[in-house]
Amino acid sequence: MMEYWAWEPEFLRRFSKHYKTGEPIPKNKLYALIDTRWDELGTDKLGQVFLGLFDMTIHNTADGNYKVDELYNRMQNDIVLSNFGDAKVFKVATREHLMSAYADMFMSRFKKDGIDNPKTGMDFRHEILCPGGSREAMVSLKRFLGRKPNSEAFINMLTP
């Protein structure tokens, strides 16, 4: 979840300065940097899908009679190289599953209340960090958010 701060303009402006002059990063470059946030994410996740499927395939053959390199190359071609239709849809589908709770926490509390809000930070500490794995994650999320988490915040972040 902490990665969300790194993409906030007010946070980036605190340390993004020209290495020689100390001038702050120009707004157009700052927002161009922020726009790269989701680049290559779909490719990365698709690569993970490929590796998982390859692993399951080589460990689930009845006779083990196959050439690993040929199987690897064929599967890579079939799965990774031929699945670049609508990259944004793929990015949303893969990342939403992994990151929607983080986006919900960040956008619903930190962004709304201010990224430096001490009360929000303490609530995060007490309801998310302190309990850790000692209680169900859904219980912690509900307590921090004051409601059941949803993917709306994450989807809104991806929609310009």
Side-chain angles (χ1 to χ4, degrees):
M1 166 143 115
M2 303 304 176
E3 73 183 57
Y4 285 95
W5 273 272
W7 295 101
E8 283 299 303
E10 68 183 89
F11 181 79
L12 283 169
R13 284 189 196 106
R14 291 181 187 172
F15 65 87
S16 300
K17 307 213 182 301
H18 191 277
Y19 76 104
K20 285 184 180 177
T21 66
E23 291 291 316
I25 188 170
K27 276 188 177 183
N28 65 329
K29 291 189 187 283
L30 177 69
Y31 287 100
L33 175 65
I34 292 169
D35 286 344
T36 68
R37 181 178 187 173
W38 306 114
D39 289 357
E40 300 301 320
L41 184 61
T43 305
D44 176 56
K45 297 304 174 204
L46 188 57
Q48 292 301 310
V49 168
F50 160 70
L51 291 173
L53 290 173
F54 176 72
D55 183 59
M56 289 188 293
T57 302
I58 63 172
H59 289 97
N60 285 314
T61 56
D63 61 4
N65 189 16
Y66 56 85
K67 293 183 179 179
V68 174
D69 58 339
E70 289 177 8
L71 177 65
Y72 182 93
N73 290 333
R74 189 185 79 240
M75 286 183 70
Q76 185 177 43
N77 186 56
D78 292 346
I79 296 168
V80 178
L81 302 178
S82 63
N83 281 294
F84 286 99
D86 188 340
K88 187 169 185 176
V89 170
F90 180 77
K91 289 178 191 179
V92 170
T94 56
R95 188 72 169 177
E96 191 265 337
H97 174 71
L98 300 172
M99 301 298 292
S100 65
Y102 298 144
D104 196 5
M105 286 192 292
F106 186 79
M107 298 303 284
S108 299
R109 291 291 313 268
F110 291 102
K111 183 82 171 167
K112 180 180 158 203
D113 300 343
I115 63 173
D116 291 328
N117 185 297
K119 181 184 180 331
T120 306
M122 291 305 287
D123 288 349
F124 181 71
R125 177 192 288 178
H126 294 299
E127 298 299 342
I128 303 294
L129 299 177
C130 288
S134 68
R135 69 179 179 204
E136 292 291 322
M138 186 60 73
V139 172
S140 295
L141 286 168
K142 285 179 180 177
R143 288 186 183 177
F144 180 69
L145 293 170
R147 60 171 170 74
K148 186 178 177 182
N150 62 59
S151 59
E152 185 177 325
F154 184 71
I155 292 169
N156 289 337
M157 289 174 64
L158 293 177
T159 308

